């Protein structure tokens, strides 16, 4: 496995000015995977200058041509899908089937967005004055700072890099410090695909040393960030006047009605709650179950939860892989204690596994209430809390009693219940008879309330995230025509 450990700035792999490095490790084994640059503001500034320089030419490359490069990246990634999937599993820990899903999501999105190069629609509209033409076109924004999390080491960078490039922007990319190897390997594909130098620059390092100067720099015209709410809040306060897109996690819910297919609902909670070891912003962390089926559903769910096989994600029989690092383990452990103190009943799990790797038992609480911290705060671990509702209205109230709004789901066989939930659940992504995870790339992805600031990645809304609208008026009357006055 080639391990590039330098920053990629202005078309060259170069060491940080700090001369310091950090390591990335396999969370299942503790094995060191490589050394990476612990960069600082000087490296960020160099990358921003390179991106600014490259912007003047890249913005003029026709969008379909920019799309062709992205399509080549998709083809290269498809050809190396297995290698990249294993890399994701080794560096991030998710089970190999999900490692493949992570890579496939990037392939899907690159292919989708490449085609958008031949659309990137603006619009024309009649002018209010004679012999005058009016239209709106899309312009790039400029240098974009992209800051990505570790939980989708290939997919989430693709959601940001691909549309940013397609729209004609240049990039300074700061990947998560837990998964720099995946990010650098992904970057290599853009180089192989023929991306001109300076268009995509990568600087590795910590949030304070690298993320912060990137966010604050006045020549960075756009920041796109996926990660924690605290960091999102900090970015909002420190970015100054620039475009900021935030995706800040969730406290996602599945409602299980008394008319639901309970087996299917259990599948949904297991997949959404413990898939990716609960480390998705879309993870199911709350379940609201109708009182009539509570006892049965709880028994069924507990049975399945206990049977989950915890282990190294590279083994195909593993159901739940490790958590990303020690801090993540400690956070889940803290919340288990909080839950117990709040009076929730721990049905199973709740403990880290001693020994090598960062493992935490799939954990299920019941008899929780909506005001408990374990039902309000994002844990980002394999911890699911069950609440009971009297009826659909009550279930929806409980579901919405939350400051996040990313993903929600209802299991029901009643079409009226389904449509009511579709209308009333407060989230940017919503499912009927499917879990809270697994959004597809060609639909808008993002959340409301404390989850974000209105940005939507995925779909054509990704173009919206990374482009400006320019309204153009062409007056061919040969006279002075005053809008709003000469009418
Ligand atoms: C995330 O966890 O930040 O919908 C993204 C899903 C995935 C994306 C998750 N397609 O679960």
């Amino acid at each position: 496995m080639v391990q590039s450990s330098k920053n990629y700035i202005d078309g060259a792999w170069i060491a940080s000015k700090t001369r310091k490095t950090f390591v990335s490790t396999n969370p299942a084994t503790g094995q060191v995977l490589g050394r990476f640059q612990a960069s600082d503001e000087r490296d960020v500034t160099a990358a921003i200058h390179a991106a600014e320089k490259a912007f003047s030419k890249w913005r003029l490359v026709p969008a379909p041509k920019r799309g062709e490069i992205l399509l080549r990246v998709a083809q290269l990634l498809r050809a190396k899908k297995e290698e990249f999937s294993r890399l994701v599993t080794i560096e991030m820990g998710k089970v190999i089937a999900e490692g493949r899903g992570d890579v496939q999501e990037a392939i899907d999105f690159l292919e989708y967005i490449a085609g958008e190069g031949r659309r990137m629609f603006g619009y024309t509209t009649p002018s209010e004055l004679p012999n005058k033409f009016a239209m709106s076109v899309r312009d790039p924004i400029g240098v974009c700072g992209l800051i990505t999390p570790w939980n989708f080491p290939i997919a989430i960078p693709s959601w940001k890099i691909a549309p940013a490039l397609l729209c004609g922007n240049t990039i300074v990319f700061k990947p998560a410090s837990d998964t720099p190897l995946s990010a650098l390997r992904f970057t290599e594909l853009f180089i192989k695909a023929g991306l001109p130098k300076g268009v995509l620059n990568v600087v590795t390092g910590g949030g304070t040393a690298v993320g912060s100067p990137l966010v604050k720099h006045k020549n960075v015209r756009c920041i796109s960030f996926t990660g924690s709410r605290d960091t999102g809040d900090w970015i909002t306060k420190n970015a100054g006047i620039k475009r900021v897109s935030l995706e800040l996690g969730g406290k996602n819910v599945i409602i299980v009605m008394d008319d639901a297919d309970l087996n299917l609902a259990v599948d949904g909670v297991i997949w959404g709650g413990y898939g990716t070891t609960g480390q998705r912003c879309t993870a199911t962390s709350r379940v609201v179950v109708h009182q009539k089926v509570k006892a049965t559903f709880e028994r069924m769910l507990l049975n399945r939860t206990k049977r989950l096989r915890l282990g190294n994600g590279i083994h195909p029989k593993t159901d739940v892989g490790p958590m990303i690092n020690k801090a993540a383990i400690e956070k889940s452990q803290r919340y288990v204690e909080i839950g117990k103190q709040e009076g929730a009943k721990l049905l199973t799990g709740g403990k880290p596994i001693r020994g090598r790797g960062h493992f935490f038992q799939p954990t299920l609480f019941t008899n929780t209430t909506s005001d408990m911290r374990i039902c309000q705060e994002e844990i980002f671990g394999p911890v699911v809390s069950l609440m009971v509702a009297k009826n659909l209205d009550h279930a929806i109230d409980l579901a919405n009693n939350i400051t996040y709004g990313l993903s929600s789901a209802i299991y029901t066989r009643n079409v009226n219940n389904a449509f009511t939930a579709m209308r009333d659940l407060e989230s940017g992504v919503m499912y009927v008879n499917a879990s809270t995870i697994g959004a597809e790339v060609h639909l808008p992805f993002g959340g409301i309330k404390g989850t974000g600031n209105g940005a939507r990645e995925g779909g054509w809304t990704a173009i919206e995230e990374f482009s400006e609208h320019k309204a153009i008026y062409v007056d061919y009357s040969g006279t002075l025509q005053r809008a709003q006055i000469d009418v």
Side-chain angles (χ1 to χ4, degrees), residues 8-11 14 17 41-57 142-144 170-172 197-201 203 213-214 217-220:
Y8 187 67
I9 299 175
D10 207 12
I14 51 176
K17 298 267 191 299
E41 183 160 7
R42 291 167 290 175
D43 307 302
V44 174
T45 307
I48 294 169
H49 285 156
E52 283 183 271
K53 208 168 60 182
F55 179 66
S56 58
K57 285 209 183 107
V143 177
C144 296
T170 55
I171 293 172
V172 178
K197 70 174 191 168
V199 173
L200 171 62
N201 306 277
V203 181
L214 183 59
H217 202 289
K218 66 176 183 359
N219 295 357
V220 173

Side-chain angles (χ1 to χ4, degrees), residues 162-230:
L165 292 180
L166 188 87
C167 292
N169 304 289
T170 55
I171 293 172
V172 178
F173 169 32
K174 181 218 150 339
S177 295
D178 284 300
T179 52
L181 182 56
S182 302
L184 293 175
R185 295 299 321 275
F186 189 44
T187 302
E188 286 171 8
L189 301 185
F190 289 84
I191 303 168
K192 275 201 195 101
L195 197 67
K197 70 174 191 168
V199 173
L200 171 62
N201 306 277
V202 189
V203 181
T204 57
T208 311
V210 176
S212 162
L214 183 59
V215 165
K216 288 182 175 168
H217 202 289
K218 66 176 183 359
N219 295 357
V220 173
R221 300 305 314 142
C222 161
I223 291 289
S224 178
F225 169 76
T226 299
S228 77
R229 188 145 80 179
D230 286 350

Side-chain angles (χ1 to χ4, degrees), residues 426-447:
E426 295 169 355
S427 61
V429 183
M430 195 267 163
Y431 295 88
V432 177
N433 292 330
S435 190
T436 58
I437 67 174
E440 300 178 29
V441 300
H442 52 302
L443 278 85
F445 181 83

Side-chain angles (χ1 to χ4, degrees), residues 43 55-56 155 164 220 294 323 367 376 386 391 414 447 455 461 474:
D43 307 302
F55 179 66
S56 58
V220 173
K294 190 243 182 191
M323 299 193 72
N367 300 349
Q376 288 292 329
L386 238 68
N391 52 36
N414 178 321
T461 45
V474 184

Side-chain angles (χ1 to χ4, degrees), residues 91-113:
E91 192 175 35
M92 182 274 163
K94 63 178 71 176
V95 297
I96 185 67
E98 290 188 43
R100 292 185 188 113
D102 196 317
V103 175
Q104 188 59 47
E105 195 162 335
I107 296 169
D108 293 345
F109 192 57
L110 283 157
E111 285 178 351
Y112 168 81
I113 217 74

